[in-house]
């Protein structure tokens, strides 16, 4: 597959930012605690499902102290429609306990501290920092990975390699580009039947367009 040229990268960036001027997560949250919990739940689970689960979860456990003291089986019951709910329930409680013990109950606004929390990997930490602090960071989920490859922005086989390529190529506005690529991948450049002819605004720059032309 051909990779995008420097000019094409600039144009892709310009159009993504133009089409999604104020892109933000579709997860519902009211504070840092709710955002972190929602992002942790969203691994391998749709934002739509997470938004169905979190109101009852946050009513029962409205903050870090209550979650740190939560009953594991009760948390499991509240999130059981989410994939990997057993592990997620354990990690949510452990995360809250560590935030209590190490940071006095305040979620640390620091990527290096966040990744040390149970159940918070680099992607979760980046998505949190992107959304909550607008940090100039990239995070690669399934949508960003697919879009990056279809547009020739990366040919890396791994999520880490793709993130490195995107950071090197876009350099600035990474938080906004991340959010834009998630929405673009979720609604336009979908895994099956991407909307190449009807809604895509990057057709002329796409390196995969031929694969989706009607036979
Ligand atoms: S032309 Fe199709 S495959 Fe290419 S970026 Fe647009 S929607 Fe995705």
């Amino acid at each position: 597959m051909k990779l995008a040229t420097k000019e094409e990268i600039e144009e892709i960036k310009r159009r993504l930012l133009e089409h999604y001027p104020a892109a933000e997560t579709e997860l519902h949250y009211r504070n840092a605690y709710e955002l972190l919990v929602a992002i942790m739940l969203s691994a391998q689970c749709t934002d739509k499902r997470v938004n169905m689960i979190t109101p009852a979860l946050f009513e029962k456990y409205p903050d870090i102290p209550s979650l740190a003291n939560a009953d594991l089986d009760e948390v499991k019951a509240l999130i059981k429609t989410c994939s990997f709910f057993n592990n997620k329930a354990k990690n949510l409680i452990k995360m809250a306990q560590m935030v209590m013990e190490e940071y006095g109950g305040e979620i640390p606004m620091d990527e290096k501290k966040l990744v040390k929390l149970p159940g918070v990997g680099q992607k979760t930490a980046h998505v949190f920092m992107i959304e909550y602090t607008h940090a100039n960071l990239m995070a690669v989920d399934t949508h960003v990975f697919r879009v990056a490859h279809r547009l020739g922005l990366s040919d890396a086989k791994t999520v880490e390699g793709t993130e490195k390529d995107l950071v090197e190529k876009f350099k600035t506005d990474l938080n906004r580009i991340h959010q834009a690529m998630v929405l673009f991948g979720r609604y336009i450049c979908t895994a099956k039947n991407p909307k190449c002819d009807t809604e895509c605004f990057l057709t002329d720059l796409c390196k995969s367009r031929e694969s989706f032309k009607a036979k």
Side-chain angles (χ1 to χ4, degrees):
M1 184 193 66
K2 271 176 72 181
L3 285 173
T5 63
K6 210 164 171 253
E7 290 71 33
E8 287 172 333
I9 293 164
E10 280 310 304
E11 184 57 16
I12 290 168
K13 179 177 181 177
R14 194 190 67 71
R15 287 192 213 171
L16 281 171
L17 294 178
E18 181 184 284
H19 277 79
Y20 301 100
E24 51 189 31
T25 180
E26 294 188 310
L27 292 168
H28 298 163
Y29 71 96
R30 293 168 294 188
N31 51 47
Y33 160 70
E34 292 189 358
L35 177 62
L36 185 58
V37 169
I39 296 169
M40 288 173 73
L41 288 173
S42 72
Q44 311 288 321
C45 188
T46 64
D47 287 4
K48 206 170 155 193
R49 176 151 303 282
V50 173
N51 288 337
M52 286 159 70
I53 290 169
T54 47
L57 182 68
F58 295 149
E59 195 180 328
K60 178 97 187 176
Y61 306 110
D63 48 26
I64 286 285
S66 54
L67 187 61
N69 289 305
D71 178 82
L72 178 60
D73 287 333
E74 282 183 16
V75 176
K76 280 186 191 174
L78 283 164
I79 68 168
K80 68 176 186 300
T81 55
C82 198
S83 48
F84 306 110
F85 70 94
N86 275 318
N87 267 340
K88 285 179 181 174
K90 280 183 210 152
N91 280 332
L92 285 175
I93 295 174
K94 281 195 210 153
M95 175 278 289
Q97 288 170 343
M98 190 164 165
V99 172
M100 286 302 291
E101 283 158 20
E102 307 260 329
Y103 306 110
E106 294 285 325
I107 309 266
M109 295 294 151
D110 178 332
E111 183 202 340
K112 292 194 176 58
K113 289 179 179 166
L114 282 170
V115 292
K116 291 195 182 132
L117 296 173
V120 180
Q122 178 168 307
K123 191 184 105 204
T124 300
H126 279 200
V127 172
F128 177 84
M129 294 297 284
I130 286 168
E131 176 68 22
Y132 205 73
T133 72
H134 301 147
N136 188 41
L137 290 169
M138 177 53 66
V140 175
D141 69 357
T142 178
H143 302 299
V144 176
F145 188 88
R146 182 176 64 253
V147 168
H149 285 76
R150 285 183 180 171
L151 289 169
L153 297 167
S154 175
D155 58 1
K157 302 260 182 296
T158 63
V159 163
E160 292 76 18
T162 306
E163 181 184 310
K164 192 166 167 279
D165 284 343
L166 293 174
V167 170
E168 278 170 9
K169 286 178 178 166
F170 288 130
K171 293 186 178 64
T172 59
D173 292 306
L174 297 176
N175 53 327
R176 291 172 61 208
I177 295 169
H178 161 79
Q179 307 281 36
M181 286 176 82
V182 170
L183 294 179
F184 180 70
R186 190 173 286 162
Y187 298 110
I188 297 178
C189 192
T190 45
K192 284 184 198 159
N193 305 319
K195 303 183 177 54
C196 309
D197 294 319
T198 50
E199 292 181 43
C200 184
F201 50 86
L202 296 170
T203 312
D204 55 318
L205 297 162
C206 181
K207 306 293 181 206
S208 317
R209 173 73 191 93
E210 291 302 314
S211 323
F212 301 106
K213 276 203 166 140
K215 302 239 165 33

